[in-house]
Amino acid sequence: MAKSILVKTLAMTQDDFVRHLPILLPDGYSVDAETWLLNESGRMLTIRMNSNADRVLGKLRLPQLRVEFEFDAYSEQEVDVFMCRLSRLYHRGGG
């Protein structure tokens, strides 16, 4: 199992993202500045984020948050499962 890095840009603030981390990482995590670490069973997930300039569409302003997920010693299937959970948790909009 190798190290893999995935990057997503989300239309939310850092506060919005952090508010939901306990749901995404129910087994706990540690925080070091703007880095969140989950260390379990010899595997490590590192989450780094930084805010980008807002996207402006006319009078509409959308926050832009760049989030990097670094998976160390996770299988490809485990990464996929985590990213699906992330998408469901942070899904916005209507239908």
Side-chain angles (χ1 to χ4, degrees), residues 16-95:
D16 289 338
F17 185 85
V18 170
R19 183 178 27 239
H20 291 90
L21 274 180
I23 298 168
L24 186 63
L25 305 173
D27 297 328
Y29 54 91
S30 61
V31 179
D32 176 21
E34 292 188 1
T35 302
W36 284 258
L37 301 170
L38 172 64
N39 193 350
E40 61 177 359
S41 305
R43 304 179 307 175
M44 183 173 290
L45 168 60
T46 306
I47 302 173
R48 296 178 190 90
M49 65 189 83
N50 61 337
S51 297
N52 294 334
D54 288 354
R55 179 170 291 170
V56 179
L57 302 167
K59 293 184 178 184
L60 179 65
R61 297 181 77 82
L62 298 172
Q64 298 294 295
L65 181 66
R66 181 185 183 278
V67 184
E68 177 183 294
F69 301 90
E70 182 179 322
F71 298 90
D72 192 1
Y74 281 77
S75 70
E76 190 174 323
Q77 182 181 8
E78 290 169 324
V79 171
D80 289 344
V81 167
F82 179 87
M83 295 309 287
C84 284
R85 283 183 55 227
L86 174 98
S87 292
R88 282 193 307 269
L89 180 63
Y90 290 102
H91 178 79
R92 290 182 173 186

